[in-house]
Amino acid sequence: MPDPVFRCVTLVGLGLIGSSIARGARARPGLAGEIVAYDNAPGTLARVAELGIADRIEPEIADAVRGADCVILCAPVGAYAELAASIAEYLAPGAILSDVGSTKQSVIRDVGPYLPPGVHFVPAHPLAGTEYSGPDAGFAELFENRWCLLTPPPGTDASSIARVEKFWRGLGSMVSVTEPAHHDRVLAIVSHLPHLLAFTICGTADDLADETRQEVLQFAATGFRDFTRIAASDPTMWRDVFLNNREALLEMLARFTEDAQAMARAVRWGDEAYIEDKIRRGRKIRQSLIDLQQA
Ligand code: NAP
């Protein structure tokens, strides 16, 4: 049998994404010879052991990364600087350090300074997820037919990028290489702003009087229900995403606010054509996603 893409993959953080990588890599031969799990929550590691989704559980991060030829950070992005500082001296020369964080300029800013010579840094972001978190939430098929964006800094070793790409393709993803700032702007509009709106609208509804709140829940089988699904996402993860993609998120929010004001004016003045045009554009975007099999 040919050598696997990586002899030993260490996953740091075994929540939704980390445990899905573990499950996916186990389900497909040829990706990882050994899967090592580290998480700062002992309860999470105990659960990973029960689930049997890693070959080795390491409660000490130094033992987890020592000897691995690929280490993937799968914790919330706010933890990356501290994690990078704590693993740097244990990373083997020639090893690849990667991640799955939802913001990419911040990851390069936070991890880059700790990178030891001879270690290749290939940041990645799988555009796949659910509103659930923790090791029980993961599943092997999460990344199938989803994009994974790689944002290697200029000058990154090409064969390391190719190996990370092969790994994600093996998990079922389509892979594209993009520039980190571009990544952060695109994700601000397609992911971070929609989450901000969902958290905000749920908060607004929750601020209403008790009686109304009951009705909100009772009649939630409308658009509101879709917002509550998104708003059920992990608070730490999303707090870190907002704070680490601050500029792009605030820019998209400002643009959205202008457009929402324009819609409010159209509603106030009965501008039927404007309202209809916006709704038609929304339907068109939904149809495009269905056509691209990304709905
Ligand atoms: P999650 O289910 O909450 O899992 C995160 C895991 O990391 C938890 O087990 C958490 O433990 C652990 N953790 C926290 N701080 C740590 C540290 N310092 N060292 C080691 N482990 C630590 O979150 P997730 O959805 O898998 O997200 C993980 C990463 O993937 C984030 O960077 C996120 O931006 C990215 N991402 C998420 C999605 C998505 O839709 N969810 C999609 C693509 C990428 P505790 O439970 O104790 O905090």
Side-chain angles (χ1 to χ4, degrees), residues 13 15-17 39-41 74-77 83 100-102 125-126 128-129 133-134 237:
L16 168 69
I17 302 294
D39 195 287
N40 67 345
C74 306
V77 290
L83 280 172
V100 295
S102 307
H125 179 202
S133 51
M237 188 211 123

Side-chain angles (χ1 to χ4, degrees), residues 191-201 230 238 242 249-250 253:
S191 171
H192 307 167
L193 181 62
H195 277 82
L196 184 148
L197 298 180
F199 297 134
T200 307
I201 201 168
I230 300 174
W238 280 100
F242 289 177
L249 177 59
L250 290 178
L253 181 59

Side-chain angles (χ1 to χ4, degrees), residues 278-289:
K278 287 287 175 221
I279 298 170
R280 278 188 208 288
R281 281 175 70 183
R283 285 176 62 146
K284 219 166 114 188
I285 288 171
R286 176 72 189 165
Q287 190 56 50
S288 313
L289 281 190

